[in-house]
Amino acid sequence: MSADSSLSKVTVNPAVDGSELIRFDKVTKRFGANTVLDALDFTVSSGKHVTLIGPSGSGKTTILRLLMTLARPDEGTIRVGGEYLTHEERGGRLVPAGEKHVREVRKNIGMVFQQFNLFPNMKVMRNITEAPVHVLGLSADEAEERARGLLELVGLTEHADKFPTQLSGGQQQRVAIARALAMRPQVLLLDEVTSALDPELVAGVLDVLRDIARTTDITMLCVTHEMNFARDISDDVLMFDAGRVIESGPPEKIFNDPDQERTRQFLSAVL
Amino acid sequence: MTGPLWVLLLKGAWITVQLMLYSAALAAAVAFGIGLARTSRLWIVRFLSGVYVEFFRGTSALVLMFWLFFALPLLGWQLAGLWAGTLALGLSYGAYGSEVVRGALQSVPAAQREAAVALSFSPWQRLRKVILPQAVPEMMPPFNNLLIELLKGTALASLLSIGELTFEAKLARLSTGESAQVYGIILVMYFVIAFVVTRVMRLLERRAKASVGQASLAGGGHR
Amino acid sequence: MNDWSWDYVGDIMPKLLDGLWVTVQATLLGSVAAFALGLVWAIALRSPSRWVTWPVGALVEFVRNTPLLVQLFFLFFVLPGWGLSFGPLTTGVIGLGLHYSTYTAEVYRAGIDAVPRGQWEAATALSLPRGRTWVAVILPQAFRRVVPALGNYVIAMFKDTPMLSAITVGDMLFQANSIGATTFDYMEPITVVGVLFIVISYPTSVLLRVLERRLVR
């Protein structure tokens, strides 16, 4: 990828703006002929809880996948904490980053998936401790202590010795939240975390997330169809349509008095 | 059948088992190496490993064995019969096994790899901690079938005059003239070895499944 | 170490091609035997009577779990003693057909099982006779899945035909060995035989994969 005009304006090693944690600059992502994100710009400040809403296929999940480096942008740059995510600076120029750089930046980011994606070959405790031990280099005792604290937070202390298949969907998702938090990420990505759950299990998972939003200073980026939850926890809501942010603002504004007709239509369809 | 002839056949059976175990060890190494190579990100690695598989699946194990035994010495390497047999069987069945390994690796959902990426595991950690533990139980039933095929393949080594079961049976037939009896007995011996192999593999499969929390799913046979 | 001689290859080629013709005959005749016998086993194994399924099941398991080579020796040395004298090629075809019928039986079983149960029930609801149900409803649907799998066993059988050289059938390997035994130079004949196997079996298996994609959807 060549450094286009938008990149040349970027100063080398910019001072982190204090509050700005995530920055998308002219990010474009295509799947074949389909442009999912179209020169997208947006920023998220440290400690904020941001919810992405919009019709399906509007590119919300792609944003999370780009941040998690599960996909790479076709154009543009993403920075987390001032560090380029999929680029490196070499000799004052931006080049696509090697695996090592990506892995280093990735450690600041955690993700909870729609389908939980717990490792079925590991018991609950090991699902949570495996990465802290083998990626962060914690001792087994430290990791286990951390895991016990998190299991208490998500209300699953007594299930530490079970395999994921022995838990309900809601319990699995709470383990997945604990697993992501055990890495102490700066940013937590939540990708439709309640969509795969039976209705009666949704509340338990959302309660845990509300707790986390209230009691930690972790930055949360959340794709959800649970509008009441979005209203509760969000500092900002971004409305997506066709690969662009068409409107953003605090939840009271977006949910009660949106500026865009498109937002109004979307909300009346889902609420 | 007299006592000495039984000793002859049992000695042959022991060589057969050894030949099977050596070849299986080589085949397993090849299967994992080539199977992993076929999922590589580099096209050249995928291509070369694909050529390996098509080559060894395309040729006849017996012809390969003869080639290693008769033709290689002319190139300056003299292989003892047992090693020509082990090499031919291991390389051939390794090619079949690599398809099993590849299939099992691909059967692990992509979401598992993504979850491992999200936890910052290195590629090697992803493979060792997440993908392989889930893939290995899937491999056990087809590996069992291949091991039986391999056991049957060891009989080919008799044509290189390796003193395994089929070769000793030939000697026994020549000395007694009791063809029906001798070959009937060794067919049963092969069947018994195959039976034991299958039992052991089932046990290993159950173990592998229990270690990844699938114990409850292990019952009721695998398809 | 001696050098590869193309002249030598040219000299031995006619004999090796004679062997190839025998190999092809054995493969095709063996396939016909295996297809027919396998269908017999598959249908017998669906019999409601345990007096049929048990012995047939035991025979199939036994034949599948023991080496073809030993089975060939058994047929070759034992059958004449029972008054059944066949030529080596016929014996080889019987051996191949019997051995591979235990695999084709499994192919048929899987193909038949893959036909949805609703098809049997619909046939019953229409009061179709059992024979008609098999011929008009079940087998045509099983056919799509069965053909590619059977094709793979034809290739496997092709690659197993060199075993027939052990019971003096004049196949490719037999020819290569007899050439080597007179010239003391095995390099060219055995290499050519190996190459011929790949040259035939690889394109065939590619064709089969194409066929499989067409038939199984």
Side-chain angles (χ1 to χ4, degrees):
Chain A
M1 193 168 71
S2 67
D4 65 16
S5 59
S6 70
L7 296 186
S8 56
K9 274 182 276 173
V10 168
T11 49
V12 173
N13 264 335
V16 179
D17 162 31
S19 61
E20 180 186 300
L21 185 61
I22 298 171
R23 180 179 199 101
F24 275 56
D25 272 312
K26 300 256 181 305
V27 171
T28 296
K29 177 68 186 173
R30 299 183 197 92
F31 291 109
N34 183 15
T35 302
V36 184
L37 299 179
D38 187 8
L40 178 71
D41 289 319
F42 78 94
T43 59
V44 175
S45 303
S46 181
K48 295 291 185 197
H49 309 138
V50 175
T51 304
L52 314 177
I53 62 170
S56 47
S58 59
K60 300 164 305 202
T61 290
T62 304
I63 291 179
L64 302 193
R65 292 176 60 83
L66 286 171
L67 274 166
M68 197 64 258
T69 66
L70 295 172
R72 292 201 179 199
D74 294 310
E75 284 160 37
T77 58
I78 302 168
R79 274 176 284 177
V80 175
E83 288 263 15
Y84 286 101
L85 195 57
T86 54
H87 295 77
E88 276 176 288
E89 289 164 5
R90 278 210 205 107
R93 288 190 35 165
L94 279 182
V95 295
E99 168 78 19
K100 204 174 160 215
H101 173 85
V102 172
R103 220 185 298 160
E104 205 48 48
V105 188
R106 195 186 274 158
K107 285 184 192 165
N108 300 323
I109 304 164
M111 184 161 179
V112 182
F113 298 85
Q114 186 177 350
Q115 299 288 349
F116 337 132
N117 298 356
L118 292 180
F119 303 131
N121 52 315
M122 302 179 191
K123 289 182 177 172
V124 165
M125 176 56 81
R126 230 187 107 203
N127 256 287
I128 303 175
T129 58
E130 193 69 7
V133 169
H134 293 281
V135 176
L136 302 182
L138 262 61
S139 75
D141 287 346
E142 283 172 301
E144 216 163 287
E145 200 185 313
R146 188 182 280 194
R148 292 211 183 279
L150 287 164
L151 280 174
E152 202 179 319
L153 178 76
V154 299
L156 291 173
T157 306
E158 67 278 24
H159 298 292
D161 265 342
K162 291 188 177 165
F163 279 108
T165 46
Q166 298 169 291
L167 302 180
S168 75
Q171 291 170 327
Q172 290 191 47
Q173 193 59 298
R174 284 185 276 157
V175 173
I177 292 167
R179 180 175 76 172
L181 290 175
M183 297 294 283
R184 301 253 165 101
Q186 288 178 280
V187 184
L188 183 64
L189 308 174
L190 303 165
D191 184 14
E192 304 199 22
V193 294
T194 56
S195 301
L197 297 178
D198 292 334
E200 72 272 20
L201 301 175
V202 169
V205 170
L206 293 183
D207 285 345
V208 164
L209 290 173
R210 281 196 187 90
D211 251 15
I212 293 163
R214 211 175 40 241
T215 57
T216 69
D217 55 2
I218 194 166
T219 307
M220 284 164 66
L221 216 61
C222 179
V223 171
T224 185
H225 293 119
E226 299 282 340
M227 293 302 156
N228 287 325
F229 170 71
R231 203 193 299 249
D232 280 4
I233 66 146
S234 305
D235 299 302
D236 271 308
V237 177
L238 306 185
M239 169 70 195
F240 270 83
D241 193 33
R244 288 172 173 273
V245 181
I246 59 168
E247 183 167 7
S248 66
E252 311 82 62
K253 166 83 176 133
I254 299 283
F255 287 116
N256 300 332
D257 181 24
D259 292 332
Q260 300 285 329
E261 181 56 28
R262 192 80 185 88
T263 311
R264 210 182 300 273
Q265 281 173 356
F266 171 74
L267 288 172
S268 67
V270 296
L271 282 178
Chain B
M1 289 279 291
T2 57
L5 286 175
W6 275 103
V7 171
L8 197 68
L9 292 186
L10 287 172
K11 210 183 77 196
W14 173 232
I15 303 284
T16 288
V17 169
Q18 282 181 311
L19 184 58
M20 176 181 77
L21 293 178
Y22 294 151
S23 314
L26 175 62
V30 169
F32 276 95
I34 298 290
L36 285 171
R38 295 204 77 186
T39 63
S40 166
R41 274 188 297 181
L42 303 171
W43 73 267
I44 183 74
V45 175
R46 285 200 307 273
F47 175 77
L48 290 176
S49 51
V51 169
Y52 177 91
V53 172
E54 295 301 347
F55 180 83
F56 283 99
R57 286 201 313 178
T59 196
S60 159
L62 183 56
V63 175
L64 181 66
M65 209 179 270
F66 271 78
W67 193 84
L68 290 173
F69 190 69
F70 286 116
L72 262 194
L74 305 176
L75 294 174
W77 294 300
Q78 182 77 47
L79 282 184
L82 187 62
W83 294 113
T86 302
L87 206 55
L89 292 171
L91 294 177
S92 302
Y93 286 94
Y96 290 100
S98 75
E99 289 290 277
V100 172
V101 170
R102 180 171 73 139
L105 290 176
Q106 285 172 344
S107 77
V108 178
Q112 287 291 312
R113 196 192 71 85
E114 294 188 343
V117 170
L119 291 171
S120 299
F121 284 126
S122 68
W124 171 242
Q125 286 175 323
R126 297 202 286 258
L127 181 68
R128 201 167 48 94
K129 294 175 180 302
V130 177
I131 310 294
L132 274 182
Q134 296 181 55
V136 166
E138 293 296 310
M139 299 176 195
M140 300 311 269
F143 271 171
N144 178 35
N145 291 342
L146 280 179
L147 202 49
I148 301 298
E149 294 297 320
L150 177 58
L151 166 66
K152 286 155 54 179
T154 58
L156 302 180
S158 67
L159 302 179
L160 303 185
S161 304
I162 296 167
E164 49 67 79
L165 189 49
T166 306
F167 184 78
E168 302 296 352
K170 181 179 153 192
L171 300 185
R173 180 183 69 80
L174 290 174
S175 73
T176 63
E178 299 274 6
S179 304
Q181 206 182 12
V182 169
Y183 285 118
I185 286 169
I186 71 159
L187 282 170
V188 170
M189 287 169 96
Y190 276 111
F191 188 75
V192 168
I193 299 172
F195 182 81
V196 172
V197 166
T198 302
R199 288 286 125 179
V200 171
M201 289 298 280
R202 292 253 169 86
L203 198 73
L204 289 176
E205 184 188 350
R206 258 205 298 281
R207 280 256 187 98
K209 282 198 166 152
S211 75
V212 298
Q214 292 179 19
S216 52
L217 307 174
H222 197 285
R223 285 258 165 256
Chain C
M1 178 183 155
N2 59 344
D3 290 321
W4 179 269
S5 158
W6 285 107
D7 288 342
Y8 180 37
V9 171
D11 290 343
I12 63 177
M13 217 50 201
K15 274 195 118 176
L16 293 181
L17 290 179
D18 284 350
L20 177 60
W21 173 232
V22 174
T23 295
V24 168
Q25 279 179 303
T27 307
L28 295 181
L29 295 172
S31 301
V32 171
F35 293 169
L37 212 47
L39 193 58
V40 173
W41 305 146
I43 291 173
L45 286 171
R46 294 181 86 84
S47 156
S49 164
R50 244 189 303 168
W51 295 104
V52 177
T53 56
W54 200 87
V56 172
L59 177 74
V60 166
E61 281 299 307
F62 188 81
V63 171
R64 184 168 41 208
N65 284 290
T66 50
L68 172 57
L69 183 64
V70 181
Q71 291 164 7
L72 289 171
F73 285 142
F74 187 92
L75 295 172
F76 190 67
F77 292 113
V78 175
L79 286 189
W82 294 349
L84 296 164
S85 277
F86 301 111
L89 182 59
T90 311
T91 308
V93 167
I94 294 171
L96 276 173
L98 178 65
H99 192 79
Y100 275 92
S101 72
T102 64
Y103 291 88
T104 57
E106 179 63 19
V107 171
Y108 293 131
R109 190 197 61 73
I112 292 165
D113 283 354
V115 177
R117 218 150 72 101
Q119 295 293 309
W120 290 95
E121 290 169 358
T124 309
L126 293 170
S127 309
L128 281 183
R130 202 170 162 73
R132 195 70 206 139
T133 306
W134 274 106
V135 172
V137 180
I138 304 304
L139 290 181
Q141 295 186 60
F143 181 77
R144 286 174 164 265
R145 291 162 190 287
V146 163
V147 167
L150 290 183
N152 282 325
Y153 283 120
V154 173
I155 297 176
M157 217 181 299
F158 173 65
K159 291 184 298 185
D160 271 354
T161 51
M163 281 185 218
L164 304 196
S165 65
I167 55 167
T168 72
V169 174
D171 79 314
M172 278 200 283
L173 185 63
F174 185 87
Q175 300 290 2
N177 273 328
S178 61
I179 292 165
T182 47
T183 61
F184 299 107
D185 192 350
Y186 285 90
M187 185 73 188
E188 284 87 348
I190 292 190
T191 307
V192 170
V193 169
V195 168
L196 281 174
F197 267 102
I198 292 173
V199 164
I200 296 170
S201 68
Y202 178 63
T204 316
S205 68
V206 171
L207 275 178
L208 266 177
R209 268 174 250 171
V210 174
L211 184 72
E212 183 167 12
R213 266 198 295 272
R214 291 258 172 99
L215 284 176
V216 183
R217 257 169 298 190

